[in-house]
Amino acid sequence: MLDGDCRYFYNENVTSTNFVTFNTGLGTSVTFYEQRKNLIIEALLQSEADVLCLNELWYVEDLIQIQKALQGNFPHSFSIIHDDAAIIKDKHTLAQPPCASVIFRTTMKCFMTHCNTSRNLIEQAGCFLVTCNASRLLSVECLTCVIISGTHTANVIEKCANTSPSRQFNAFNLPGLALFSKLPLAHRNRQNLIPNVKRLVSRWVLSAEVFYFLYTVNHVNIITNCR
């Protein structure tokens, strides 16, 4: 969801600023995941938007790849992996996968033993969360990564736990949100809409003020899709 208030500083004439929102759907459970990502980048590079608001951009590796690809057209960006100065956080921090724990390996062993026999995805998820006690034992980042990565064990382990040594960025972009802008961003903020509650897919808001010379667009907010 976008909230925009576009005003000229010296009068109340409204200027035009183009916003595009797009649900990337970039989870490895999506068919033709890599091809989809490449086509999305091509489409975004051709966009005439001033501000891109992307949803379901879950993996930090994908987020950074898209940021680098869009840098020439959209030099300003903001997400959960940016610090207060809009600089991407330390690479060492972003190298850690969300499920790098002994507890995760235990819950996955339980899943393979007790849950993987069912072909029903809902039953598999319920077994993992309840029978294997994953909902209590695992972090929100880990749980969301597992759900987004699908029920294929190889995908889950690759993206969420035992990642490839060739990958620099293994962290998880928990809100799944990112802003890319041709215009400078100020007063950037991130907010968990339902704090202190463990959810499989958290509800977050990214907000920023977008400036265009003497024009300003206040409070550009994105709310991730409700599930």
Side-chain angles (χ1 to χ4, degrees):
M1 183 173 70
L2 293 177
D3 294 326
D5 179 16
C6 308
R7 299 186 180 185
Y8 189 50
F9 283 144
Y10 298 107
N11 60 53
E12 293 299 315
N13 293 333
V14 176
T15 185
S16 174
T17 304
N18 296 322
F19 297 89
V20 168
T21 64
F22 183 67
N23 188 330
T24 66
L26 285 177
T28 52
S29 57
V30 175
T31 305
F32 302 114
Y33 164 75
E34 288 294 340
Q35 294 92 325
R36 177 182 176 85
K37 179 169 59 176
N38 293 333
L39 290 172
I40 286 172
I41 291 174
E42 290 180 15
L44 294 177
L45 285 171
Q46 297 174 22
S47 173
E48 297 181 356
D50 296 305
V51 180
L52 296 172
C53 312
L54 303 186
N55 297 313
E56 296 203 19
L57 185 53
W58 297 110
Y59 306 116
V60 167
E61 182 185 45
D62 292 344
L63 196 161
I64 292 177
Q65 180 182 349
I66 289 175
Q67 182 189 38
K68 288 180 178 179
L70 300 182
Q71 185 69 33
N73 293 4
F74 299 89
H76 308 281
S77 56
F78 177 52
S79 72
I80 200 72
I81 70 167
H82 291 75
D83 62 20
D84 292 337
I87 299 173
I88 291 179
K89 294 178 181 177
D90 177 67
K91 289 183 178 180
H92 177 72
T93 302
L94 300 181
Q96 301 302 314
C99 300
S101 69
V102 175
I103 294 176
F104 174 72
R105 291 195 289 271
T106 302
T107 55
M108 282 304 295
K109 183 177 180 180
C110 171
F111 175 81
M112 295 298 295
T113 303
H114 300 288
C115 310
N116 210 24
T117 54
S118 173
R119 294 185 178 181
N120 186 295
L121 299 183
I122 296 178
E123 289 181 0
Q124 286 185 354
C127 178
F128 180 66
L129 294 172
V130 179
T131 304
C132 299
N133 213 10
S135 60
R136 185 179 68 85
L137 296 175
L138 302 180
S139 68
V140 175
E141 290 86 352
C142 181
L143 284 172
T144 306
C145 187
V146 170
I147 296 299
I148 295 302
S149 301
T151 57
H152 295 291
T153 306
N155 284 344
V156 171
I157 292 176
E158 177 190 355
K159 284 293 186 181
C160 305
N162 299 331
T163 53
S164 169
S166 63
R167 285 176 51 190
Q168 276 188 294
F169 307 105
N170 302 306
F172 194 70
N173 178 31
L174 179 60
L177 303 175
L179 275 173
F180 298 93
S181 177
K182 294 178 180 177
L183 314 173
L185 299 172
H187 300 108
R188 297 168 297 275
N189 187 42
R190 57 184 73 85
Q191 179 185 359
N192 187 344
L193 293 178
I194 311 176
N196 304 317
V197 176
K198 183 179 283 189
R199 299 176 61 93
L200 293 183
V201 181
S202 299
R203 307 296 192 268
W204 284 71
V205 170
L206 296 184
S207 62
E209 292 184 1
V210 183
F211 289 94
Y212 178 56
F213 298 109
L214 295 179
Y215 296 92
T216 181
V217 180
N218 293 318
H219 308 306
V220 180
N221 295 334
I222 313 172
I223 299 179
T224 187
N225 293 340
C226 295
R227 292 174 175 270

